[in-house]
């Protein structure tokens, strides 16, 4: 892993908010999306009936909204047919994810740290809201996030890589871009966070590191156990809130 752009995380001090993408960033969900898409596309005889490869999925589907994926896969389909296809795909995904969705290692510890520090927290995703809430629930983080912004909340054509989903989250959280940090895994997601004016930590394999760095990531980690990430977070956050001055409420007790 490594820092790029002089560790942009430090410029977010004092840290106020953490914004997380979900798919691939908080959980290893791509295999389940891939399995669902692959089965449905094979049934349709897409690609001559040959299964799509994981590389095809990463290149054309990962991090993108269903609207974007639909336009790519079936440019001539009417909306009603696309809606039916994606409803079936999300139902399959929910079944597979329910059987085996896992967190990216170290996520629970990072979430506990953010809560102790009193940081504001949002999930920002191109996934449909129902899908987003399903994954957050499986991860046991339903009460961790103060809000979830889904691509569909931002209007036609305004999901990531547009900055709109992140700007909306900042607005609803009452947080400033200068004091916030984004966690992402896809190129479109990194582009969105950077366009919204925030430093971005990319969770990416070695093979994808160059791509997310080119998109503007300040730091690249394999998962949340990265020592350099923790050093940067501690430095940006400063002293923990729980050890701070007693509050007025405590003083009265």
């Amino acid at each position: 892993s490594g820092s790029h752009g002089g560790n942009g995380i430090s410029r977010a001090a004092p840290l106020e908010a953490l914004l997380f993408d979900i798919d691939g960033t908080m959980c290893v969900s791509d295999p389940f999306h891939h399995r669902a898409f692959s089965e449905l596309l094979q049934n349709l005889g897409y690609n001559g009936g040959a299964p799509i490869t994981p590389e095809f999925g990463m290149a054309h589907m990962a991090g993108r909204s269903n609207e974007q994926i639909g336009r790519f896969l079936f440019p001539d389909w009417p909306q009603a047919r696309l809606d039916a296809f994606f409803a079936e795909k999300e139902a399959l995904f929910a079944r597979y994810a329910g059987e085996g969705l896992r967190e990216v290692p170290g996520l629970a510890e990072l979430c506990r740290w953010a809560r102790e520090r009193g940081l504001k927290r949002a999930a920002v995703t191109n996934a449909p809201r129902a899908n987003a809430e399903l994954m957050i629930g499986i991860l046991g983080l339903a009460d961790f996030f103060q809000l979830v912004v889904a691509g569909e909340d931002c209007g036609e054509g305004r999901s990531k890589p547009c900055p709109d989903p992140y700007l909306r989250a900042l607005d609803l959280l009452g947080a400033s871009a200068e004091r916030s940090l984004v966690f992402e895994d896809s190129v479109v997601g990194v582009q969105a966070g950077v366009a919204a004016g925030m430093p971005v930590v990319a969770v990416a394999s070695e093979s994808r590191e160059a791509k997310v760095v080119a998109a503007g990531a300040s730091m690249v980690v394999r998962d949340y156990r990265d020592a350099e990430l923790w050093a940067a977070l501690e430095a940006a956050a400063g002293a923990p809130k729980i050890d701070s001055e007693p509050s007025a409420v405590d003083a009265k007790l």
Side-chain angles (χ1 to χ4, degrees):
S1 77
S3 290
H4 302 274
N7 186 358
I9 298 181
S10 57
R11 70 165 207 260
L15 196 56
E16 183 180 32
L18 298 183
L19 291 80
F20 289 84
D21 171 54
I22 305 175
D23 281 295
T25 300
M26 296 201 301
C27 52
V28 185
S29 53
D30 279 331
F32 306 108
H33 285 296
H34 185 76
R35 186 175 164 195
F37 271 125
S38 201
E39 285 179 21
L40 290 179
L41 291 174
Q42 241 184 313
N43 292 346
L44 284 167
Y46 187 86
N47 191 29
I52 57 167
T53 63
E55 291 70 33
F56 178 91
M58 285 310 291
H60 302 293
M61 293 144 114
R64 289 175 167 76
S65 65
N66 282 348
E67 183 197 340
Q68 292 162 332
I69 295 168
R71 257 202 314 270
F72 168 76
L73 289 174
F74 309 113
D76 50 353
W77 277 21
Q79 193 57 47
R81 191 175 178 194
L82 284 172
D83 290 346
F85 173 83
F86 284 109
E88 199 177 347
K89 184 258 153 177
E90 296 310 346
L92 266 184
F93 171 77
R95 196 170 90 214
Y96 297 149
E99 292 164 7
L101 193 73
R102 297 278 177 274
E103 70 164 30
V104 169
L107 177 71
E109 192 184 343
L110 175 58
C111 291
R112 198 160 49 241
W113 179 87
R115 200 192 285 265
E116 282 170 4
R117 286 292 192 292
L119 299 178
K120 296 174 178 179
R121 316 176 287 274
V124 182
T125 178
N126 272 355
R129 176 168 293 280
N131 187 327
E133 289 175 351
L134 167 90
M135 289 186 281
I136 288 170
I138 293 172
L139 292 169
L141 294 172
D143 66 343
F144 173 75
F145 290 105
Q146 288 144 320
L147 60 108
V148 177
V149 174
E152 66 215 35
D153 301 337
C154 298
E156 183 92 10
R158 303 305 301 171
S159 53
K160 304 174 198 177
C162 294
D164 303 42
Y166 279 115
L167 294 173
R168 181 181 172 90
L170 287 171
D171 187 41
L172 291 169
L173 280 177
S176 71
E178 295 74 47
R179 303 275 164 270
S180 302
L181 181 61
V182 169
F183 291 93
E184 267 290 353
D185 71 306
S186 69
V187 167
V188 292
V190 173
Q191 288 168 334
V194 170
M198 290 178 279
V200 179
V201 174
V203 180
S205 60
E206 204 171 342
S207 62
R208 289 178 47 247
E209 183 157 346
K211 282 197 176 76
V212 290
V213 170
S218 294
M219 180 183 275
V220 182
V221 300
R222 302 289 168 254
D223 61 36
Y224 300 106
R225 298 172 298 190
D226 186 286
E228 190 186 351
L229 169 65
W230 279 98
L233 285 172
E234 293 282 0
K241 287 256 169 53
I242 47 171
D243 297 339
S244 61
E245 314 256 315
S247 69
V249 176
D250 295 336
K252 287 200 189 95
L253 297 176

